[in-house]
Amino acid sequence: MSAPATTMMERKAGRQSIRFLAPAAIVGQMAIGGRVEREGPLGDRFDTIIPESYYGEASWEKAETKILKEALTHAIGRAGLQEADIDLCFSSDLLNQCTASSFAARSCDIPHFGLCAACASFSAGLLMAGMALDAGFARRSVVGVSSHHDSAERQYRFPTELGIQRPPTAQWTVTGAAACVLAGSTQIAGAGALPKVTCGTVGRVIDMGIKDPYDMGSAMAPAAIDTLLSHFEELGKKPEDYDWILTGDLGRVGREIVAEQLARRGLDLGERYSDCGVLIYDPARQDVHAGGSGLACGATVFCGHVLKAFQAGHVRRVLFAGTGALHSPTTYKQRESIPAVCHAVSIEAV
Amino acid sequence: MSAPATTMMERKAGRQSIRFLAPAAIVGQMAIGGRVEREGPLGDRFDTIIPESYYGEASWEKAETKILKEALTHAIGRAGLQEADIDLCFSSDLLNQCTASSFAARSCDIPHFGLCAACASFSAGLLMAGMALDAGFARRSVVGVSSHHDSAERQYRFPTELGIQRPPTAQWTVTGAAACVLAGSTQIAGAGALPKVTCGTVGRVIDMGIKDPYDMGSAMAPAAIDTLLSHFEELGKKPEDYDWILTGDLGRVGREIVAEQLARRGLDLGERYSDCGVLIYDPARQDVHAGGSGLACGATVFCGHVLKAFQAGHVRRVLFAGTGALHSPTTYKQRESIPAVCHAVSIEAV
C-alpha cells in the first residue's frame, strides 16, 4: 500500500507556487455593486445593489467602509455563521492606508490582517487564508475587499466634480465590495461539491516602465504574464485544466496583451480566458472606456459570478488571477513608473 | 511512550492566538537608521546610519524606498543567502499605497505579499512568515518595513518646511528600515541557539474614540491591552515567562496607559515591559516629545537591539507587540476617530 497522496506532496511547488494539502472550502459569499455595475452584463449576479454612491453616508469613503462591512457581515451570515465563528479576517481596499478595510474591521470582533496589494489583494487574501486554514492556524476565515469609483477617482486622479475627459485606455473603478468565507477541511462535512482553494501562485512585483495611470492594463499585464507562466509551469498544469481563467482588472487593453504574449510563449489560453474588467461592463452601452478596475472588480465578479457558476454546476475549475497596480499619486508626480503584481489562486470543486 | 509533544498540540490557541509546531528561526537581520536615531540611546545598535534624510535621492519617498531595499538585501546577505533562496517577502511602510514597500520589492526577484497594518505590519509579517514556514509553504522568508520622518510628517500632518509646533503627546516618526530573514525548521542545522518565532496573537481592530493624530499613544494603547490580555490568557503564559515585553511605538503616553491598565486587570508586566518608542530616543537630549513612532521604530529596535541581545545571550524570551494606528489624513478630516491594532509575536531561543 502506498501512503495517501497528501503525504507524498509538498506544499511548496517551484519558485512561486503552493499546493494546499487540506484545501479550504468557500462556504459563503456576498457581492455588492453600485448603479453602473447593475446596468452591466453581470448586473443580476450581485447580491445587493446600493441605490446611490453615498449610500446614506456623508462621504464616499464612509460609503465604501459601509459596503465593505456589509459584505463581510452578510458573507458570514450566509455561511450560517457568526463573527465569533471566524478566526481570521483578511481585508483591503484602495483608499490611502486601506482605511475602508480597517474601519470596517473595527466593528468586527475578528482577529484582522490588513493587506496591501491594490487590486491583487483579494487573491492574496484567498492564498493567505488558504495557508492558515490548511495548516490549522484558523478554522474559518473571511476575506473581503472594496473599491468605490468616486473615492478612488478623486484620490488617484482628479476631483470627480471636474469631469476631466478620460483617454480610451482608462478604466472605470468598480463601486462595490465582496467577501467570502473559507472553512478548513475539518470544518466541512460532505464538502465534495463546494469550491475549494487547491493551489496558487504568489506574484513577484514587476515593473516594465509604463508610467501612464490612465493605462493600467498595460502596466499590470506583465505581472499577470509572469504569474500565469509560473503557475502553469510550476504546478504542471495546462490551460485545459481550467474551465475559466480570469484575470482581475486588466480591462480590454491588458487582456489583449496577456492573451497575445502568452500565446507567443506557447500558452494559448483560448476562449476560456477573460478578464473581470472586460466582463463586468458592456462597452456598447456603458461609457467605461477600457473596462472595469478596482479591488471590487475582480472580487465582485468572483463572489457574484464565478461562485454562482460553481453552484449552478457550470464550472468546476477556475483560475482567478487578481492583478494590482502598486503606484500612488505621489509616485506618479515623482515621475515613477507603475509596478504591478498578480496573485493567482486555483478554485476547484472536484 | 507518549507521542511527541508537537503532535498533541494544536496550532490554534483560543480566539486570537496561534502556536507554531515547527518554529521558524531568525537567521539574518539588518537595521538602518537616520541621524536622529544614531544620537539616541540605541544609536550603536543600528547596522547602518544614513548620512542625511534624502540619502542621495530626489525625494524623501525615494530615500525611504532605497533604505527599505537595502535592509531587505543586506538581511538576506547577512543570512548567507541570495534573493533566489527566499520564497516569500512580506513588507510594508507608512506611505500611501505602501509604495516604499512595493517599489523596494520591484527590484527583488521574490514572491511578494504587501501588508497594511501601519506600524503593526512588522509583527504581522513575522506571524504570517511564521505560518508559511511552519506549514512548509516556504523554506525561507524575509520580512521588511520602513518609515521616514519627513515623508510621514508631510503626508500625515503638515508640510515639513512649515515647522508647525507639536504638542507634548506627539511622537517622532523614526527614519529607518529593518528586515529579518526567517528559515523553516528543516532549513536550519543546530538551531538551538537561534531566536525562533514560537507563538503569537493576532490583533483585533480596536477604536476607543481617540481623534487626536498628535496623540497616537492613547489611540493605540487599547489595542495593545486587548492583544496582550488575550496573549497571556489564551497561551497560558505569565509575564515572568518573558525577559522583555516590548510594544512597538506607543511612546511614553501609551506605555503608561498599557502598564497601568494591565496592572489593574491583574497583569503586572513590571520592569520587563517597555516600548520601542520609549527606548529609541532620549527625551532629555532629543526633542522628540512622547517618543518614537513609525514602522521603523519597532522594527529597528527589534532587528538592531532585541536580536543583538539574543545573540549576546542577554535575553532568551521576548514578546514583541507591534502597534499600528490605522487612520489617514482623510479619515481625520472627516472627523473619524483612530482605530488601532496590535499583533504580538513571541521570540524564544530555547
Side-chain angles (χ1 to χ4, degrees):
Chain A
M1 288 288 287
S2 61
T6 49
T7 65
M8 307 291 288
M9 288 172 65
E10 288 206 2
R11 285 181 166 132
K12 180 167 167 56
R15 179 91 181 101
Q16 296 177 251
S17 298
I18 56 177
R19 270 191 211 99
F20 297 105
L21 300 187
I26 299 174
V27 296
Q29 72 277 345
M30 181 77 184
I32 303 175
R35 183 184 53 78
V36 185
E37 291 67 39
R38 183 192 58 204
E39 293 166 359
L42 304 180
D44 64 348
R45 314 297 160 85
F46 287 87
D47 300 299
T48 298
I49 296 289
I50 63 168
E52 49 81 41
S53 65
Y54 283 102
Y55 199 24
E57 296 291 311
S59 72
W60 291 316
E61 291 77 15
K62 288 178 195 272
E64 182 175 346
T65 303
K66 185 175 171 182
I67 56 174
L68 177 51
K69 168 64 179 154
E70 290 190 358
L72 294 166
T73 300
H74 290 300
I76 294 167
R78 296 175 74 194
L81 300 168
Q82 298 183 315
E83 282 181 9
D85 300 315
I86 310 294
D87 301 321
L88 281 178
C89 173
F90 296 87
S91 70
S92 191
D93 65 279
L94 272 187
L95 297 179
N96 290 338
Q97 308 304 315
C98 297
T99 51
S101 161
S102 300
F103 280 68
R106 74 176 168 180
S107 50
C108 295
D109 179 27
I110 307 175
H112 179 261
F113 281 129
L115 306 180
C116 185
C119 309
S121 299
F122 187 69
S123 52
L126 293 176
L127 290 174
M128 287 193 194
M131 287 198 262
L133 292 163
D134 182 3
F137 289 108
R139 291 163 307 186
R140 298 176 208 89
S141 182
V142 65
V143 181
V145 301
S146 65
S147 56
H148 190 300
H149 177 79
D150 300 290
S151 67
E153 205 61 25
R154 76 169 170 182
Q155 174 181 286
Y156 274 103
R157 297 176 189 96
F158 294 99
T160 320
E161 295 83 350
L162 268 182
I164 293 283
Q165 193 175 10
R166 298 149 54 86
T169 53
Q171 292 174 243
W172 186 271
T173 305
V174 168
T175 297
C180 66
V181 175
L182 294 90
S185 60
T186 60
Q187 304 300 317
I188 20 178
L194 291 173
K196 288 183 273 301
V197 181
T198 54
C199 62
T201 303
V202 183
R204 297 181 277 215
V205 178
I206 307 283
D207 187 337
M208 299 293 277
I210 302 287
K211 292 190 172 187
D212 182 358
Y214 280 112
D215 184 8
M216 312 281 272
S218 298
M220 294 191 287
I225 292 166
D226 184 68
T227 295
L228 290 172
L229 282 170
S230 296
H231 181 81
F232 288 104
E233 185 184 327
E234 293 175 350
L235 291 161
K237 286 187 176 286
K238 303 182 297 294
E240 305 84 78
D241 292 332
Y242 291 109
D243 300 313
W244 291 350
I245 297 167
L246 293 174
T247 43
D249 62 344
L250 298 179
R252 265 171 290 283
V253 175
R255 188 211 169 279
E256 285 311 301
I257 297 172
V258 168
E260 185 186 322
Q261 291 294 323
L262 287 181
R264 281 197 195 180
R265 287 165 171 80
L267 201 65
D268 185 2
L269 302 186
E271 290 299 310
R272 65 177 60 75
Y273 170 53
S274 193
D275 179 83
C276 301
V278 173
L279 295 173
I280 198 167
Y281 298 128
D282 179 354
R285 293 188 295 113
Q286 298 183 286
D287 187 27
V288 295
H289 298 68
S293 70
L295 283 89
C297 179
T300 60
V301 171
F302 181 85
C303 291
H305 178 52
V306 175
L307 291 180
K308 285 191 175 69
F310 269 103
Q311 284 153 8
H314 296 153
V315 295
R316 298 200 320 164
R317 294 179 176 90
V318 171
L319 182 64
F320 176 71
T323 41
L326 305 173
H327 68 307
S328 78
T330 303
T331 63
Y332 167 70
K333 286 170 195 155
Q334 294 183 1
R335 297 168 194 266
E336 283 283 3
S337 51
I338 301 173
V341 72
C342 170
H343 300 301
V345 57
S346 180
I347 311 292
E348 302 181 78
V350 286
Chain B
M1 287 288 286
S2 61
T6 50
T7 64
M8 308 290 288
M9 287 172 65
E10 288 206 3
R11 284 180 166 133
K12 178 165 169 56
R15 179 90 181 104
Q16 297 176 249
S17 298
I18 56 178
R19 271 191 210 98
F20 298 104
L21 299 187
I26 298 174
V27 296
Q29 73 277 346
M30 181 77 186
I32 303 176
R35 181 185 53 78
V36 185
E37 290 69 38
R38 183 192 58 204
E39 293 167 359
L42 304 179
D44 64 347
R45 314 296 160 85
F46 288 86
D47 300 299
T48 298
I49 295 289
I50 64 167
E52 49 80 41
S53 65
Y54 283 102
Y55 199 24
E57 297 291 312
S59 72
W60 291 316
E61 290 78 14
K62 288 178 195 273
E64 182 175 344
T65 303
K66 184 174 171 181
I67 56 173
L68 177 51
K69 168 66 178 153
E70 289 189 358
L72 293 166
T73 300
H74 290 298
I76 295 167
R78 296 174 74 194
L81 300 168
Q82 298 183 316
E83 282 181 9
D85 299 316
I86 311 293
D87 301 320
L88 281 178
C89 174
F90 296 87
S91 70
S92 191
D93 65 278
L94 272 186
L95 297 180
N96 291 337
Q97 308 304 317
C98 295
T99 51
S101 161
S102 300
F103 280 68
R106 74 176 169 180
S107 50
C108 295
D109 180 28
I110 306 175
H112 179 261
F113 281 129
L115 306 180
C116 184
C119 310
S121 299
F122 186 69
S123 51
L126 293 176
L127 290 175
M128 287 193 194
M131 287 197 263
L133 293 162
D134 182 1
F137 289 107
R139 291 163 307 188
R140 297 176 208 89
S141 183
V142 66
V143 181
V145 301
S146 65
S147 57
H148 190 299
H149 177 79
D150 299 290
S151 66
E153 206 60 27
R154 74 170 171 180
Q155 174 180 286
Y156 276 102
R157 297 176 189 95
F158 295 99
T160 320
E161 295 84 350
L162 270 181
I164 293 282
Q165 193 173 9
R166 299 149 52 85
T169 53
Q171 294 174 242
W172 185 271
T173 305
V174 168
T175 298
C180 67
V181 175
L182 294 90
S185 61
T186 61
Q187 305 299 317
I188 20 179
L194 291 173
K196 288 182 274 301
V197 181
T198 55
C199 62
T201 303
V202 183
R204 297 181 277 214
V205 178
I206 307 283
D207 186 337
M208 298 293 278
I210 302 288
K211 292 191 171 187
D212 182 359
Y214 281 111
D215 183 7
M216 312 281 273
S218 298
M220 294 190 287
I225 293 165
D226 184 68
T227 295
L228 291 172
L229 282 172
S230 296
H231 181 82
F232 288 105
E233 185 185 326
E234 293 175 350
L235 292 160
K237 286 186 176 285
K238 303 181 298 293
E240 305 83 78
D241 292 333
Y242 291 108
D243 300 313
W244 291 350
I245 297 167
L246 293 174
T247 43
D249 61 345
L250 298 180
R252 265 170 290 284
V253 175
R255 187 210 169 281
E256 285 311 300
I257 297 172
V258 167
E260 186 186 321
Q261 291 295 323
L262 287 181
R264 281 196 194 181
R265 288 164 170 81
L267 201 66
D268 184 3
L269 302 185
E271 289 300 309
R272 64 176 61 74
Y273 171 52
S274 193
D275 179 83
C276 300
V278 173
L279 295 173
I280 197 167
Y281 299 128
D282 179 354
R285 292 187 295 109
Q286 298 184 286
D287 187 26
V288 294
H289 299 69
S293 70
L295 283 88
C297 179
T300 60
V301 171
F302 181 85
C303 292
H305 178 52
V306 176
L307 292 180
K308 284 190 174 70
F310 269 104
Q311 284 153 8
H314 296 152
V315 294
R316 298 202 314 163
R317 295 178 176 90
V318 171
L319 182 63
F320 176 71
T323 41
L326 306 173
H327 68 307
S328 78
T330 302
T331 62
Y332 167 70
K333 286 169 195 154
Q334 294 183 359
R335 298 168 194 266
E336 283 282 4
S337 52
I338 301 174
V341 72
C342 170
H343 300 299
V345 57
S346 180
I347 310 292
E348 302 181 78
V350 286

